[in-house]
Amino acid sequence: MEFDILTLFPRIFAGPLDESILKRAREAGLVQIRVHNLRDFTHDKHRVVDDKPYGGGPGMLMKPEPIFEAVEKMQRPDSCVVLMTPQGPPLTQARAQAFAGKPHLIIICGHYEGVDERVREALVDEEVSIGDYVLTNGALAAAVVVDAVTRLLPGAIGHEQSAVDDSFATGLLEGPQYTRPPEFRGMKVPDVLLSGNHGEVAKWNKEQARQRTRQRRPDLLEGEDKL
Ligand code: JCH
């Protein structure tokens, strides 16, 4: 899978891309991630990427020209063009799965108060928000999308099961988990987990997941067959 990321802040991606699963997935050739500076797609002396909104109002908008030039240079028939914006539908595990099935994502990050509407009209296939809060620009949001999608690519995670079983893939929150020692500062690991009875352990885990989900995220249980 390939990513082309368009941003005014390419350095924001350097850290996340160079650690852990993302680093290994890149080194293994599972994913190619190219980060481009939108200023490189300007042609004026001062490399201007923003302008005042028509009709007035606070702040600045991203000019359409550099974004059009960059996208049109990278776009292929199989590309999906994604715009990071707080106005998009929320990123969910299902949406991450759908993105993981695409061969090429072009992600437009944006800055200032957003982008000229003609970018949406003519270029963008999907808009995405990573949550109901306002970031200073789209780069961190795009890094989140790249991370959530890349770990789903076959071979990205050592344990084949991990990506299938984790919270949100099952529709439930993970319950409590323990590792050694069996007693730490007087706090004991529940007996059932030490019993070696795999059936009882599975039953307990499932019940704990249900309880935690009901308490913390009842919205995840609503209207589904997961109750
Ligand atoms: C972004 C901004 C005020 C946007 C500019 C580009 C995504 N989930 C999520 N939160 N924030 C974003 C995001 C994505 C791209 C951009 N900004 C800053 C500031 C706005 O409206 C008044 C809109 C924020």
Side-chain angles (χ1 to χ4, degrees):
M1 164 163 204
E2 296 173 66
F3 288 93
D4 279 291
I5 299 167
L6 309 179
T7 175
L8 292 176
F9 306 100
R11 285 178 304 175
I12 285 181
F13 294 88
L17 295 185
D18 214 42
E19 299 285 347
S20 181
I21 290 169
L22 283 186
K23 182 178 190 167
R24 269 188 280 122
R26 290 170 59 221
E27 287 171 352
L30 297 176
V31 65
Q32 288 173 266
I33 307 170
R34 296 175 289 266
V35 183
H36 311 271
N37 190 333
L38 275 168
R39 266 188 219 284
D40 294 341
F41 298 88
T42 58
H43 298 285
D44 61 308
K45 181 162 181 258
H46 295 104
R47 314 223 297 163
V48 175
V49 292
D50 63 323
D51 207 339
K52 293 175 296 198
Y54 277 118
M60 300 290 270
L61 291 176
M62 304 262 303
K63 294 164 60 63
E65 298 96 319
I67 300 176
F68 270 75
E69 182 164 326
V71 169
E72 284 170 352
K73 185 168 172 184
M74 291 158 202
Q75 207 165 22
R76 322 187 300 229
D78 63 352
S79 303
C80 179
V81 179
V82 178
L83 176 68
M84 303 314 304
T85 165
Q87 284 107 50
L91 180 65
T92 57
Q93 196 60 30
R95 202 174 295 272
Q97 291 277 8
F99 285 151
K102 311 228 183 229
H104 186 211
L105 289 187
I106 299 173
I107 307 184
I108 304 168
C109 293
H111 183 48
Y112 313 109
E113 263 47 62
V115 300
D116 184 284
E117 187 65 18
R118 288 163 292 190
V119 169
R120 279 194 176 81
E121 278 172 26
L123 293 180
V124 170
D125 298 307
E126 296 206 40
E127 301 184 29
V128 183
S129 164
I130 64 160
D132 291 341
Y133 38 82
V134 181
L135 301 165
T136 54
N137 66 75
L140 283 173
V144 167
V145 171
V146 170
D147 187 289
V149 171
T150 300
R151 68 184 287 285
L152 295 175
L153 299 175
I157 295 185
H159 251 276
E160 295 297 339
Q161 270 302 95
S162 332
V164 182
D165 266 9
D166 55 16
S167 311
F168 299 110
T170 62
L172 294 174
L173 300 182
E174 201 101 54
Q177 299 182 95
Y178 298 86
T179 183
R180 291 186 290 183
E183 181 174 346
F184 175 69
R185 297 190 177 179
M187 297 178 281
K188 292 198 165 109
V189 175
D191 283 333
V192 59
L193 297 180
L194 307 175
S195 70
N197 184 333
H198 298 299
E200 284 301 311
V201 169
K203 215 170 93 186
W204 186 85
N205 279 335
K206 189 144 198 186
E207 181 51 30
Q208 293 294 316
R210 270 175 228 277
Q211 279 182 29
R212 185 163 282 187
T213 308
R214 191 171 289 121
Q215 280 182 346
R216 300 185 183 186
R217 293 292 305 277
D219 58 300
L220 294 179
L221 296 168
E222 270 159 32
E224 292 293 331
D225 55 345
K226 287 151 193 159
L227 265 170

